[in-house]
């Protein structure tokens, strides 16, 4: 105990004086030294498993029961083994998810809980998916600030403390009406007008800061609207492009809450998950930046409906525009420039609009109608 206190004093003096050589210091934030009133005890024993100590990464996914978490867990378990990928959330998982692999309770607002999970399970990779999305966040700004910002700070600190490789997804929502929209480059002005977008810009900048300041291996992709077959919409502005398939197969009609001409970047979930793993596995020296755009296709509700009609001739779409979601969509990019991702780590998408629609409709049980149309 006296030794730890002496080290704390020495490091504190170093932080006050700065390094004698004038170079960048990689000292950890104060909470890592046990000075926080509610985080790490002063006699903590710091040790975490590096990837070289294990055959496979030990993975934790936060916010695991959202649109992307379950799919990512299944994808990574095929690669790294079922027991090496832990899905976590504050909600109780359905039976089929609970029995598919390790599932635990994790509250990102509880730093002690996070730290115990990382230590007890010897986590080496962390995928942070806990967030309130755009439309939901606007309806509950206070909760969005807590989850998207305070929760992120806990994740950054525990990742830095234990030398984790950290992935935090960003979004097209990180851009705003003053950003170039067609195409939107990796580096440009970012002035989003939603709490979701603001929190994602904050995440990008904080992750980059922790990389330069503390050596945290932070990696981030700006996702377009993600379309997945086996999950329900999660409150995002681009969710119409998921709901349309549920309604088309079930009812033969769909009411869209965006204008028919609203063009937004989109991606099928298989491409999204593959891109996420590829950037996590990319050699550090190949990454020229910490946050990348990725893109696949851009389309409007009208164009999507026309493609669905090729498979379900009786399908009908109507429009009942939600002013809040429309304003959000109008501030977002029309397309993303992902040339840096393609150059640096070989990103390439597989699904365009026709393949996307066929895959989604096949999944939702319209095989017979697809065959008849073909």
């Amino acid at each position: 105990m006296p030794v730890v206190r002496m080290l704390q004093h020495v490091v504190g003096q170093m932080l006050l004086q700065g390094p004698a050589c004038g170079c960048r210091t990689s000292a950890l934030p104060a909470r890592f030294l046990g000075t926080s009133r509610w985080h790490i005890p002063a006699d903590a024993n710091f040790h975490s498993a590096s990837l070289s100590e294990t055959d496979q990464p030990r993975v934790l996914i936060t916010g695991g029961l959202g649109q992307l978490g379950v799919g990512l867990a299944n994808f990574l378990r095929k690669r790294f083994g079922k027991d090496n990928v832990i899905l976590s959330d504050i909600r109780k998982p359905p039976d089929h998810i609970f029995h598919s692999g390790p599932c635990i309770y994790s509250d990102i607002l509880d730093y002690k809980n996070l730290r115990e999970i990382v230590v007890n399970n010897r986590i080496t990779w962390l995928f942070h998916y806990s967030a309130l999305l755009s439309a939901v966040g606007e309806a509950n700004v206070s909760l969005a600030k807590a989850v998207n910002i305070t929760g992120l700070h806990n994740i950054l600190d525990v990742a830095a403390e234990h030398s984790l490789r950290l992935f935090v997804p960003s979004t097209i929502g990180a851009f705003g009406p003053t950003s170039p929209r067609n195409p939107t480059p990796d580096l440009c002005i970012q002035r989003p007008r939603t709490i979701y977008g603001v929190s994602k810009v904050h995440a990008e900048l904080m992750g980059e800061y922790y990389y330069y300041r503390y050596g945290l291996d932070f990696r981030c992709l700006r996702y377009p609207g993600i379309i997945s077959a086996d999950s329900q919409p999660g409150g995002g502005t681009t969710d119409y492009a998921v709901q349309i398939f549920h309604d088309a197969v079930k009812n033969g009609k769909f009411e869209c809450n965006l204008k028919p001409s609203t063009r937004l970047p989109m991606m099928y979930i298989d491409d999204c998950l593959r891109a996420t793993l590829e950037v996590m596995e990319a050699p550090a020296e190949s990454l020229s930046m910490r946050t990348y755009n990725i893109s696949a296709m851009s389309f409007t509700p009208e164009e999507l409906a026309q493609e669905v009609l090729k498979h379900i001739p009786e399908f009908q779409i109507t429009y009942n525009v939600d002013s809040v979601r429309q304003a959000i969509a109008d501030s977002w990019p029309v397309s993303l420039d992902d040339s840096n991702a393609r150059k640096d780590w070989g990103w390439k998408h597989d699904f365009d609009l026709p393949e996307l629609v066929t895959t989604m409709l096949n999944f939702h049980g319209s095989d017979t109608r697809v065959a008849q149309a073909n």
Side-chain angles (χ1 to χ4, degrees), residues 215-268:
L216 174 64
D217 191 354
F218 172 85
R219 306 183 183 204
C220 177
L221 297 178
R222 293 193 189 104
Y223 290 160
I226 303 301
I227 302 172
S228 57
D230 58 351
S231 63
Q232 295 295 321
T237 301
T238 57
D239 279 352
Y240 85 87
V242 177
Q243 191 64 49
I244 189 174
F245 295 101
H246 292 271
D247 291 2
V249 171
K250 184 177 179 180
N251 306 317
K253 58 184 179 181
F254 172 66
E255 182 178 88
C256 183
N257 53 28
L258 296 180
K259 295 177 182 177
S261 59
T262 306
R263 185 175 300 278
L264 291 168
M266 300 284 186
M267 179 178 288
Y268 185 57

Side-chain angles (χ1 to χ4, degrees), residues 43-55:
D43 58 349
N45 179 25
F46 295 103
H47 174 76
S48 60
S50 66
L51 194 55
S52 61
E53 296 176 24
T54 58
D55 295 331

Side-chain angles (χ1 to χ4, degrees), residues 241-303:
V242 177
Q243 191 64 49
I244 189 174
F245 295 101
H246 292 271
D247 291 2
V249 171
K250 184 177 179 180
N251 306 317
K253 58 184 179 181
F254 172 66
E255 182 178 88
C256 183
N257 53 28
L258 296 180
K259 295 177 182 177
S261 59
T262 306
R263 185 175 300 278
L264 291 168
M266 300 284 186
M267 179 178 288
Y268 185 57
I269 190 169
D270 286 14
D271 279 340
C272 171
L273 300 180
R274 181 170 53 81
T276 301
L277 178 58
E278 286 177 1
V279 77
M280 283 292 277
E281 290 188 320
E285 59 271 16
S286 71
L287 304 179
S288 64
M289 55 188 65
R290 290 287 124 181
T291 298
Y292 288 89
N293 291 343
I294 54 169
S295 185
M297 66 194 94
S298 291
F299 56 74
T300 68
E302 186 175 42
E303 291 170 348

Side-chain angles (χ1 to χ4, degrees), residues 1-135:
M1 190 71 153
V3 174
V4 173
R5 287 174 179 164
M6 183 183 299
L7 286 173
Q8 290 177 350
H9 175 73
V10 172
V11 173
Q13 292 300 312
M14 290 173 61
L15 288 173
L16 289 173
Q17 297 171 4
C21 64
C23 58
R24 185 182 73 208
T25 176
S26 60
L28 292 173
R31 72 160 64 174
F32 300 158
L33 300 173
T35 57
S36 170
R37 62 182 175 83
W38 55 283
H39 291 310
I40 301 174
D43 58 349
N45 179 25
F46 295 103
H47 174 76
S48 60
S50 66
L51 194 55
S52 61
E53 296 176 24
T54 58
D55 295 331
Q56 303 285 8
R58 293 279 297 168
V59 176
L60 174 67
I61 303 171
T62 66
L65 296 184
Q67 182 190 8
L68 298 177
V70 174
L72 180 66
N74 292 337
F75 185 70
L76 295 179
R77 283 166 179 165
K78 292 176 183 177
R79 180 66 175 271
F80 301 128
K82 182 179 73 170
D83 293 333
N84 283 325
V85 180
I86 300 173
L87 200 64
S88 73
D89 209 298
I90 60 172
R91 295 175 291 166
K92 184 170 70 173
D95 287 347
H96 72 282
I97 294 176
F98 180 78
H99 294 295
S100 66
C103 294
I104 62 173
Y105 172 87
S106 174
D107 180 0
I108 62 167
L109 297 179
D110 184 342
Y111 186 86
K112 183 176 183 291
N113 173 242
L114 278 175
R115 188 169 182 267
E116 287 175 348
I117 291 169
V118 168
V119 170
N120 291 343
N121 294 282
R122 304 179 75 246
I123 299 300
T124 56
W125 285 15
L126 200 164
F127 294 82
H128 177 49
Y129 279 93
S130 296
L132 263 66
L133 302 185
S134 54

